[in-house]
């Protein structure tokens, strides 16, 4: 048996009141089964005030999560909301771990964290929930590569924390009340569960046909496009430093790798002093770029399609959703419009948990129906089981 519980609060100022409000909604004494894990999402204000630490100290299970610009669950949604989602089961097992700071080497700390979680879990996991830090020196696909090496390609689902700042300088990963700027937090789930994954990104008719080629890069640093500096190339599109593109999480570039495969949306987070673009993932030389367009109509239409897909498959007993913060910001003054659409479509059934992220981890399916781990930008993703 699998059950999910949700609770929320908008009180970021009074830890005691906020914790009492959340616990009253959960009714843990009568609702918890043998094993449980908590997923927490909130603005950084809940960390600074002590709400997150106080709440996690009262919970009888491990909790992991992230800061987010906006969050939601069956109870509501909002910019200033803390959402707690509890997965509890007699059959499933859970284990969590925190990596050492990911300053230089990523492989060692991520392998060590996975081994620590496996030491608690004791059996092969079916799913890895991932709260990964924002790193200017390594894109999300590099993190994913090392997680795959450590885990043997266990499906990875999750996101990179975000906040209201363009450089995410107050974005944190969270584990049992502690928060981190440069540590990855993971949660492993083992047992009789077969997660299904859904994702939707930029509509094909919102991608320009004109293509450019990456001619110089270093990992996630984009240096030249069509043999001109990236700043010059972006200026030719009406973008670039001084034109509102710094930390451009609302301007998608569709990257088609030289080895083929589905084009992936990538964002430019910021620029280095040398004028290189810091991107969300590796930008390989030879890959083609095409500018995408995000507008409110397409974002809301795609959200509705994802809801329809989840409901058509039966909806499951656990629904986890992560949307890119760029989708939220591209909505303009109505930043909660997508959250409202998702809430309207999902609130009447199985409890759901929504957070916004600076990058999304979600598997895709190959032609044989097998999962292939991917890192995304500008994408709405879901995991249902």
């Amino acid at each position: 048996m699998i059950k999910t519980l949700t609770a929320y609060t908008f009180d970021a100022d009074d830890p005691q009141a906020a914790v009492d409000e959340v616990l009253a909604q959960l009714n843990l004494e009568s609702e918890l089964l043998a094993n449980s894990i908590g997923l927490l999402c909130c603005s950084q204000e809940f960390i600074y005030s002590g709400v997150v630490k106080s709440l996690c100290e009262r919970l009888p299970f491990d909790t992991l999560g992230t800061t987010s610009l906006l969050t939601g669950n069956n109870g509501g949604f909002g910019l200033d909301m803390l959402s707690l989602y509890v997965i509890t089961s007699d059959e499933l097992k859970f284990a969590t771990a925190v990596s050492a700071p990911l300053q230089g080497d990523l492989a060692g700390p991520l392998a060590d964290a996975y081994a620590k979680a496996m030491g608690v879990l004791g059996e092969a996991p079916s799913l890895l929930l991932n709260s990964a830090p924002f790193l200017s020196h390594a894109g999300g696909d590099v993190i994913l590569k090392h997680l795959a090496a450590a885990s043997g390609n266990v499906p990875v689902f999750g996101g990179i924390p975000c906040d209201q700042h363009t450089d995410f300088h107050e974005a944190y990963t969270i584990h049992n009340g502690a928060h981190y700027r440069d540590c990855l937090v993971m949660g492993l789930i083992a047992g009789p569960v077969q997660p299904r994954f859904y994702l939707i990104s930029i509509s094909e008719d919102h991608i320009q046909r004109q293509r450019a080629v990456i001619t110089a890069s270093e990992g996630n640093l984009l240096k030249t496009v069509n043999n001109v500096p990236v700043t010059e190339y972006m200026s030719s599109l009406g973008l670039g430093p001084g034109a509102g593109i710094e930390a451009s999480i609302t301007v998608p570039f569709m990257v088609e790798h030289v080895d083929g495969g589905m084009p992936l949306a990538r964002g430019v987070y910021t620029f280095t002093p040398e004028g290189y673009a810091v991107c969300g993932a590796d930008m390989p030389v030879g890959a083609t770029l095409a500018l995408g367009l995000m507008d409110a109509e397409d974002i809301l239409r795609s959200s509705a399609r994802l809801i329809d897909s989840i409901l058509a498959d039966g909806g499951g007993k656990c629904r986890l959703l992560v949307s890119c913060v760029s989708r939220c910001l591209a909505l303009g003054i109505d930043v909660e419009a997508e959250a409202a659409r998702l809430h309207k479509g999902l609130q009447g059934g199985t409890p759901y948990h929504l957070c916004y992220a600076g990058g999304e981890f979600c598997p895709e399916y190959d032609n044989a129906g097998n999962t292939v781990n991917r890192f995304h930008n500008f994408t709405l993703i879901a995991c249902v089981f």
Side-chain angles (χ1 to χ4, degrees):
M1 181 179 181
I2 302 172
K3 292 198 304 183
T4 47
L5 315 172
T6 60
Y8 67 97
T9 181
F10 287 92
D11 189 347
D13 299 319
D14 187 334
Q16 185 62 54
V19 171
D20 289 345
E21 181 181 8
V22 169
L23 294 180
Q25 297 170 53
L26 292 174
N27 194 18
L28 295 178
E29 290 186 3
S30 62
E31 294 293 336
L32 284 188
L33 301 176
N35 304 306
S36 304
I37 192 171
L39 307 180
L40 188 150
C41 191
C42 62
S43 72
Q44 66 271 22
E45 300 306 323
F46 287 92
I47 293 176
Y48 299 153
S49 67
V51 171
V52 169
K53 184 174 186 295
S54 297
L55 175 59
C56 291
E57 288 175 347
R58 298 278 298 277
L59 297 174
F61 44 76
D62 282 355
T63 299
L64 66 149
T66 68
T67 55
S68 178
L69 180 65
L70 190 155
T71 187
N73 61 37
N74 287 53
F77 57 89
L79 296 169
D80 302 310
M81 175 176 154
L82 178 148
S83 172
L84 177 65
Y85 192 78
V86 181
I87 307 171
T88 185
S89 174
D90 290 325
E91 294 86 14
L92 301 183
K93 294 182 180 180
F94 308 100
T96 67
V98 182
S99 77
L102 302 178
Q103 297 290 351
D105 171 51
L106 272 63
L110 294 179
D112 291 345
Y114 184 79
K116 181 179 178 180
M118 282 297 295
V120 175
L121 197 66
E123 61 182 272
S126 303
L127 178 66
L128 190 158
L129 300 176
N130 175 31
S131 175
F134 170 70
L135 303 173
S136 60
H137 62 282
D141 52 348
V142 175
I143 293 174
L144 194 56
K145 178 184 72 174
H146 292 301
L147 287 176
S151 68
N153 287 310
V154 170
V156 176
F157 183 88
I160 290 175
C162 66
D163 56 29
Q164 74 271 31
H165 306 293
T166 56
D167 62 357
F168 298 157
H169 69 266
E170 290 186 289
Y172 303 103
T173 60
I174 299 169
H175 181 257
N176 289 347
H179 60 284
Y180 307 92
R181 282 284 295 149
D182 54 5
C183 298
L184 182 142
V185 180
M186 69 177 69
L188 305 184
I189 301 179
V193 59
Q194 295 182 320
R196 301 191 302 275
F197 302 101
Y198 307 82
L199 65 141
I200 197 157
S201 188
I202 313 297
S203 297
E204 189 171 345
D205 60 359
H206 281 58
I207 303 172
Q208 288 188 352
R209 294 183 179 180
Q210 183 179 1
R211 298 293 194 268
V213 179
I214 298 174
T215 47
S217 65
E218 182 180 342
N220 65 321
L221 293 180
L222 180 58
K223 297 182 177 181
T224 69
V225 178
N226 291 345
N227 291 311
V228 300
V230 63
T231 51
E232 182 178 333
Y233 165 71
M234 296 180 78
S235 294
S236 72
L237 302 174
L239 307 170
I245 191 64
E246 293 88 351
S248 178
I249 52 179
T250 61
V251 180
F253 284 92
M254 304 305 296
V255 179
E256 187 170 352
H257 287 219
V258 291
D259 59 356
M262 183 177 178
L264 297 174
R266 294 293 179 239
V268 175
Y269 291 123
T270 189
F271 289 89
T272 68
E274 298 82 9
Y276 304 147
V278 180
C279 301
D282 280 357
M283 306 293 276
V285 171
T288 59
L289 292 178
L291 189 66
L293 171 67
M294 298 193 70
D295 60 41
E297 182 180 355
D298 188 51
I299 291 169
L300 298 181
R301 185 170 55 242
S302 63
S303 302
R305 291 201 302 269
L306 185 129
I307 293 170
D308 290 343
S309 296
I310 292 174
L311 298 180
D313 287 345
K317 297 180 179 179
C318 175
R319 297 173 179 172
L320 306 176
L321 292 92
V322 179
S323 185
C324 188
V325 68
S326 62
R327 295 172 64 90
C328 180
L329 297 178
L331 292 168
I333 60 173
D334 193 8
V335 294
E336 297 183 355
E338 183 181 54
R341 176 65 59 89
L342 294 170
H343 186 70
K344 181 179 180 180
L346 296 173
Q347 72 174 132
T350 298
Y352 77 91
H353 178 66
L354 167 69
C355 71
Y356 279 78
E360 306 78 55
F361 298 88
C362 183
E364 296 182 78
Y365 293 96
D366 62 18
N367 292 333
N370 300 312
T371 58
V372 180
N373 283 319
R374 300 287 191 201
F375 176 73
H376 311 267
N377 292 127
F378 304 95
T379 303
L380 170 64
I381 63 173
C383 173
V384 176
F385 57 87

